[in-house]
Amino acid sequence: MKLKELAEELGLSQTTVSRALNGYPEVNKATRERVSEAALKFGYSANANARRLAIGRIGAIGILMPRDRSERFGPHTSEFFSGLAEQLSRDEMDLLMSPSINNDELAAYKRLISSKRVDGIIVTGPTLMDERVAMLTEAKFPFVLHGRTNIAAPHAWLDIDNAGAFRQAATHLIDIGHRHIAMIDGLKGHTFSEHRETGYREALLERGIPVDPRFIVHERFSDETGFHEAQRLLSYTPHPTAILAGSMMTALGVFRAIRSKGYELGKEVSVVAHDDVFPYLNASNMVPAMTTTRSSIRSAGSRIAELLVRVLDGEPVESIHEIWPVELILRQSSGPPVAPRR
Amino acid sequence: MKLKELAEELGLSQTTVSRALNGYPEVNKATRERVSEAALKFGYSANANARRLAIGRIGAIGILMPRDRSERFGPHTSEFFSGLAEQLSRDEMDLLMSPSINNDELAAYKRLISSKRVDGIIVTGPTLMDERVAMLTEAKFPFVLHGRTNIAAPHAWLDIDNAGAFRQAATHLIDIGHRHIAMIDGLKGHTFSEHRETGYREALLERGIPVDPRFIVHERFSDETGFHEAQRLLSYTPHPTAILAGSMMTALGVFRAIRSKGYELGKEVSVVAHDDVFPYLNASNMVPAMTTTRSSIRSAGSRIAELLVRVLDGEPVESIHEIWPVELILRQSSGPPVAPRR
DNA sequence: GCATAAATTCAAAGCGCTTTGGAGAAATCC
DNA sequence: GGATTTCTCCAAAGCGCTTTGAATTTATGC
């Protein structure tokens, strides 16, 4: 059923029916109800393409799928996307996922813009001076950034308080008696990674604990790197009695390393992980339950979709930015340091 | 730049320009080249919505994101989606991701169809008598299934040889001396899970080894369930000397369980996992490197996108189905059984 | 009760593209 | 060399919707 037919069926013009359905004020309440009922009855719903052609919006937002950079292409991606999709479907928007070509990300973004297949773009995993952000602001193409940069030009972004998360975690560990605390986080250069290191350093500084550069590790997020790096850390003398893990994957590897060295988890060596809240990797179900800094990446996805729609509606980007706090949730993988049995 | 402008620029009609660009035969070769060059020069590319409106195709295919069923919403999803997106972008198609509502999946599919926002649908994770497949064939809505069902009505699908994978793995383990082999796979009801169990049983049957029902476990794919179930299995007497894991996540948990029981991996207890090929969870990087049955879920995604386009082009669905073989890759996590040291 | 304002409704003009049905020019045939 | 056939190219009609500008009806003011 198309608009014309519905209008004929009702004995009204297409104009009126369209307005009734789209909530325009200049239509009688009784008429509107009659139209709505008929639309429901005949199962009418507007042809998305025609509608978009008419209003001059593509009706889709784009996001690039990082292809080779494994650190950005894990479970995080799927959670984040899911949040995006959830919100976008409410706004009748499509999500166009484009794979980046030949590792030349910037070119992929440019192509996405000039393809005219998206109204706006979502950018993730920025570096401090992210060239994509620079390019997009320069090109005045609507986008929202998940994360932050040091780029001055105004743009919309949403980030979590990464510095706060690690500061909180480290401070807590210090307060319960730890003096040797290591961190294993994502690759250097990424804003989140830098911020976390900053938070970590601040906590140590504030409590007068010297920073041992060997204890700061930047690596890809994965079970394996967690395992290897933790093994290395634990072989130092003195070894860290607590490890901050940048992701749940990393933390799993750290768990394994601690056990393989024969230490007791949460006693001889504590672990605090950053938890992006995966439905299938639950911190509280682990043994022992994992102490985490928690912030839902899925919620962030939803919210970012909302923000992008606001940008598209013309809201000034200067006013669109949010920093989400991160909760520290104490569980069994962390506790006061206990001297080894041996 | 729009078509009209480009046509004026070239001193041609919109018709000719459109045809030249879309590869229609009735246009002079010289003219076509002139048009292509100009298009490139001015950065012209057709407005997707206008084009779709004109040709009567939505230009997008849909896929539902399972919301609560954690077993279907892991890293698999993101790999699979990535494969889809890669191929679809070649066909100038969008991927519309819809979250399923209120756990009523069937209703979500119906809504997706009647929303008229997709030309076709991709269905994943089927059960043997999947109601979504039944509904979609009934409604004659184009779709491709990732997996298989027992439903007779013709429809397009692509599946891997799950039975063969587990048969191969089990047979190999038996041949190198194992007599007590367990399997931990996904939830019962799903086709892949049933097929794997069938393959496992066939292997045992063929070699005359009795099937111990306690050794067949169906659970969600996750590190934790792998850990718990493997611990349970290893507490039996006699305990399994080899465990087939349905996913890499599960396998990680199984690794942990084996170690926590003090067994040596690949000697006292062997593990073979099914590997969907995640860029960030690499079987050969593990310690010990994991023996796997391998099949890329990302490639499957790409191929399924291709198949769906063929369905949309009118190819009869009866002729569209593929079964992909699965390779068994021997590494260090499996070997002849060795008696425990204790 | 008539002018004026407000509330409804409508006809028609796009949105940017593809495609039908011809028309004119060039090539082929006998 | 005139009649066909074959190449190229074009004007115009949609695709299904929104929106402008105007017309009609109804309510309000004095």
Side-chain angles (χ1 to χ4, degrees):
Chain A
M1 156 105 24
K2 51 180 77 169
L3 183 60
K4 192 177 169 189
E5 290 162 15
L6 184 63
E8 276 166 9
E9 193 73 40
L10 284 159
L12 289 171
S13 73
Q14 296 187 42
T15 310
T16 306
V17 176
S18 167
R19 285 184 162 152
L21 258 23
N22 290 316
Y24 279 69
E26 57 272 73
V27 54
N28 195 326
K29 196 178 165 204
T31 313
R32 188 191 302 281
E33 273 166 17
R34 204 158 63 87
V35 172
S36 307
E37 269 172 34
L40 206 62
K41 177 177 159 201
F42 294 108
Y44 169 81
S45 99
N47 175 307
N49 287 325
R51 164 167 234 281
R52 291 164 177 174
L53 177 58
I55 62 179
R57 261 213 200 170
I58 316 283
I61 64 137
I63 187 164
L64 255 71
M65 312 198 69
R67 180 134 78 167
D68 300 289
R69 308 216 197 154
S70 52
E71 83 270 18
R72 277 209 255 127
F73 186 48
H76 299 86
T77 311
S78 101
E79 269 300 283
F80 183 69
F81 277 23
S82 168
L84 282 179
E86 207 161 315
Q87 178 59 38
L88 287 173
S89 73
R90 284 191 204 120
D91 292 316
E92 298 265 279
M93 284 257 183
D94 292 351
L95 179 60
L96 181 67
M97 314 199 308
S98 241
S100 58
I101 34 166
N102 305 330
N103 295 326
D104 186 351
E105 262 204 313
L106 203 58
Y109 277 93
K110 284 180 179 160
R111 221 184 43 159
L112 190 54
I113 294 178
S114 65
S115 78
K116 268 176 269 167
R117 285 152 56 77
V118 296
D119 294 312
I121 292 185
I122 284 168
V123 179
T124 59
T127 57
L128 286 171
M129 294 306 294
D130 200 279
E131 55 178 357
R132 302 166 301 169
V133 171
M135 189 272 283
L136 289 167
T137 41
E138 165 80 16
K140 295 196 193 336
F141 196 82
F143 75 100
V144 175
L145 175 66
H146 183 208
R148 256 176 289 178
T149 69
N150 283 344
I151 292 173
H155 56 273
W157 54 265
L158 179 152
D159 197 7
I160 62 171
D161 183 10
N162 281 301
F166 268 43
R167 189 189 309 113
Q168 226 181 129
T171 302
H172 168 72
L173 289 168
I174 296 170
D175 287 349
I176 60 178
H178 292 272
R179 288 298 170 267
H180 303 288
I181 303 173
M183 62 171 277
I184 305 179
D185 198 32
L187 289 179
K188 243 188 136 51
H190 289 295
T191 309
F192 76 90
S193 203
E194 302 290 344
H195 283 186
R196 288 176 182 180
E197 183 174 332
T198 303
Y200 164 89
R201 283 174 181 274
E202 284 170 1
L204 268 61
L205 200 67
E206 203 181 297
R207 297 291 199 264
I209 295 184
V211 171
D212 183 341
R214 296 174 312 164
F215 283 6
I216 300 181
V217 179
H218 288 286
E219 254 302 344
R220 287 168 199 289
F221 285 143
S222 85
D223 185 87
E224 278 312 299
T225 59
F227 180 67
H228 285 304
E229 296 301 326
Q231 275 203 319
R232 198 167 55 71
L233 287 169
L234 292 173
S235 68
Y236 293 139
T237 329
H239 67 72
T241 58
I243 299 179
L244 300 181
S247 80
M248 294 292 274
M249 320 288 133
T250 309
L252 287 177
V254 173
F255 268 36
R256 269 169 51 209
I258 292 172
R259 289 195 168 111
S260 79
K261 287 273 183 188
Y263 293 120
E264 196 178 353
L265 230 162
K267 307 263 179 183
E268 291 156 7
V269 182
S270 289
V271 175
V272 178
H274 181 70
D275 179 12
D276 291 299
V277 191
F278 304 117
Y280 50 90
L281 238 187
N282 193 313
S284 56
N285 287 345
M286 300 198 172
V287 186
M290 205 184 291
T291 293
T292 59
T293 51
R294 182 171 69 181
S295 183
S296 162
I297 200 170
R298 170 189 284 246
S299 309
S302 283
R303 181 62 176 165
I304 282 181
E306 247 180 284
L307 296 182
L308 185 47
V309 170
R310 277 167 48 187
V311 171
L312 295 178
D313 284 344
E315 196 165 316
V317 291
E318 294 86 312
S319 61
I320 301 185
H321 33 73
E322 296 185 1
I323 302 180
W324 286 12
V326 175
E327 302 175 83
L328 175 64
I329 311 218
L330 302 179
R331 297 200 189 82
Q332 279 69 56
S333 72
S334 67
V338 171
R341 288 160 295 185
R342 300 163 299 177
Chain B
M1 157 104 26
K2 51 179 77 168
L3 182 61
K4 193 177 169 189
E5 291 162 15
L6 183 62
E8 275 165 10
E9 192 74 40
L10 284 159
L12 289 170
S13 74
Q14 296 188 43
T15 310
T16 305
V17 176
S18 168
R19 285 184 161 152
L21 259 22
N22 290 315
Y24 280 69
E26 56 274 71
V27 53
N28 195 327
K29 197 177 164 205
T31 313
R32 187 191 303 282
E33 273 167 16
R34 204 158 63 88
V35 172
S36 306
E37 270 172 34
L40 206 61
K41 177 176 158 200
F42 295 108
Y44 169 80
S45 101
N47 175 307
N49 287 324
R51 164 167 234 280
R52 291 164 177 174
L53 176 58
I55 64 179
R57 261 214 201 170
I58 315 282
I61 64 138
I63 188 163
L64 255 71
M65 311 198 70
R67 181 136 75 166
D68 300 288
R69 310 217 196 153
S70 53
E71 82 270 17
R72 278 208 258 128
F73 186 49
H76 300 86
T77 311
S78 106
E79 269 300 284
F80 184 70
F81 277 23
S82 168
L84 282 179
E86 208 161 314
Q87 179 60 37
L88 287 173
S89 73
R90 285 190 203 121
D91 292 315
E92 297 267 279
M93 285 257 184
D94 291 351
L95 179 59
L96 181 66
M97 314 200 307
S98 239
S100 58
I101 34 168
N102 306 329
N103 295 328
D104 186 350
E105 261 205 315
L106 204 58
Y109 277 94
K110 284 180 179 159
R111 221 182 43 159
L112 190 53
I113 294 178
S114 65
S115 79
K116 267 177 268 167
R117 286 151 57 76
V118 296
D119 294 311
I121 291 184
I122 284 169
V123 179
T124 60
T127 57
L128 287 170
M129 295 305 294
D130 199 280
E131 54 178 357
R132 301 166 302 168
V133 171
M135 188 272 282
L136 289 167
T137 42
E138 166 79 17
K140 294 196 194 338
F141 196 83
F143 74 101
V144 175
L145 175 66
H146 184 209
R148 258 176 287 179
T149 69
N150 285 343
I151 293 172
H155 56 274
W157 53 265
L158 179 152
D159 198 6
I160 63 170
D161 183 11
N162 281 302
F166 268 43
R167 189 189 311 111
Q168 225 182 127
T171 301
H172 168 71
L173 289 168
I174 297 169
D175 288 349
I176 60 177
H178 292 273
R179 289 296 169 269
H180 303 289
I181 303 173
M183 61 171 279
I184 305 178
D185 198 33
L187 289 179
K188 246 188 135 50
H190 289 296
T191 310
F192 76 91
S193 203
E194 302 289 344
H195 282 186
R196 288 175 181 181
E197 182 173 335
T198 304
Y200 165 89
R201 284 174 180 276
E202 283 171 2
L204 268 62
L205 199 67
E206 202 182 297
R207 297 291 200 265
I209 296 183
V211 171
D212 183 340
R214 295 175 311 166
F215 283 6
I216 300 181
V217 179
H218 288 286
E219 253 303 345
R220 287 167 200 286
F221 285 143
S222 84
D223 185 88
E224 278 313 298
T225 60
F227 179 68
H228 284 303
E229 295 302 325
Q231 275 205 318
R232 198 168 52 72
L233 287 168
L234 292 173
S235 68
Y236 293 138
T237 330
H239 67 72
T241 59
I243 298 179
L244 299 181
S247 80
M248 295 291 275
M249 318 289 131
T250 310
L252 287 178
V254 173
F255 269 36
R256 269 169 51 210
I258 292 172
R259 289 194 167 113
S260 79
K261 286 274 183 187
Y263 294 120
E264 196 179 352
L265 230 162
K267 307 264 178 180
E268 291 155 7
V269 183
S270 288
V271 174
V272 178
H274 181 71
D275 178 14
D276 291 297
V277 191
F278 303 116
Y280 50 91
L281 238 188
N282 193 313
S284 55
N285 287 346
M286 299 195 172
V287 187
M290 205 185 291
T291 294
T292 59
T293 52
R294 182 173 67 181
S295 183
S296 162
I297 200 171
R298 170 189 283 246
S299 309
S302 282
R303 181 63 176 165
I304 282 181
E306 248 179 284
L307 296 182
L308 184 49
V309 170
R310 277 166 50 186
V311 171
L312 295 178
D313 283 344
E315 198 166 315
V317 292
E318 295 85 312
S319 60
I320 301 185
H321 32 74
E322 298 185 1
I323 302 180
W324 286 12
V326 175
E327 304 174 83
L328 176 64
I329 311 219
L330 301 179
R331 296 199 189 82
Q332 279 69 56
S333 72
S334 67
V338 172
R341 286 160 295 185
R342 300 161 301 176

